[in-house]
Amino acid sequence: WTADTFQIKTTVAGGYGNIGLVQDANGQVGIGETAPSELLHVSKASGDASIRVDASGTSNDSKIKLRQGGNDVGMDLVFDGGTDYFYIQNHLGTNHISVKHDNGNVGIGGTSLNQKLEVYGTNTYIVADGTGNRGLLFRKSQSDRWAIGNHGSNNNFYIYDYLSSSQ
């Protein structure tokens, strides 16, 4: 115990050992950290540091809720134990980005994922914006690539063999 700091330490023969948990005078909490620099600061002396959120049962969700300004508007990081999907969703529970746990398929605006990337919604666009060439590249291997896009030199639309740049 020190002035303006609350500490929990491990017990060892003859006294106290490592500090396990600290709350400083500013209300910042350190786990494995004696001088927390954030509201929650987790540190590990060696190896990976991780935080685990574990829901009981197979149908319950594990969530981290991110909110701003004390209101309930924000985003959630959710692992749905019933479907084995990871979601980034709004505070109302609408899934914006979904990742299927067993195969890594990703969905934007959808949750029934059968392909590596699926995009759903009304007036849905994939935007490739910037200078130079812009478009989508389809590749089976390094030697088998095709592109669809806008060629920056003359602003024309092309479907072309990307490897040889023949249009």
Side-chain angles (χ1 to χ4, degrees):
W1 177 268
T2 62
D4 296 328
T5 302
F6 173 76
Q7 300 177 351
I8 296 177
K9 296 182 177 187
T10 58
T11 304
V12 295
Y16 296 105
N18 297 328
I19 296 173
L21 184 120
V22 171
Q23 182 178 12
D24 69 11
N26 298 317
Q28 297 178 149
V29 175
I31 299 174
E33 176 61 47
T34 59
S37 61
E38 300 294 334
L39 189 58
L40 175 61
H41 188 156
V42 178
S43 184
K44 188 175 179 184
S46 64
D48 297 336
S50 61
I51 297 172
R52 182 174 176 146
V53 177
D54 201 350
S56 64
T58 57
S59 62
N60 296 318
D61 298 345
S62 298
K63 293 183 182 183
I64 296 176
K65 295 184 174 196
L66 307 170
R67 300 297 186 264
Q68 181 68 35
N71 59 36
D72 201 33
V73 175
M75 299 296 284
D76 297 340
L77 305 176
V78 179
F79 182 77
D80 185 328
T83 63
D84 284 345
Y85 277 85
F86 170 76
Y87 300 115
I88 297 175
Q89 60 184 208
N90 68 15
H91 65 285
L92 300 174
T94 303
N95 299 323
H96 292 288
I97 298 175
S98 307
V99 179
K100 186 139 176 42
H101 175 260
D102 62 351
N103 60 18
N105 290 354
V106 175
I108 300 172
T111 58
S112 180
L113 309 178
N114 298 309
Q115 304 302 318
K116 285 296 170 194
L117 176 63
E118 297 185 26
V119 181
Y120 297 89
T122 305
N123 299 321
T124 302
Y125 298 93
I126 298 174
V127 178
D129 197 359
T131 59
N133 299 337
R134 297 164 306 281
L136 297 174
L137 177 63
F138 300 90
R139 179 172 72 184
K140 180 178 177 185
S141 66
Q142 286 297 94
S143 61
D144 187 7
R145 302 183 291 186
W146 284 84
I148 324 177
N150 181 283
H151 214 281
S153 62
N154 57 18
N155 214 25
N156 290 332
F157 178 78
Y158 290 99
I159 299 176
Y160 60 97
D161 180 340
Y162 185 80
L163 190 60
S164 67
S165 294
S166 60
Q167 300 149 2

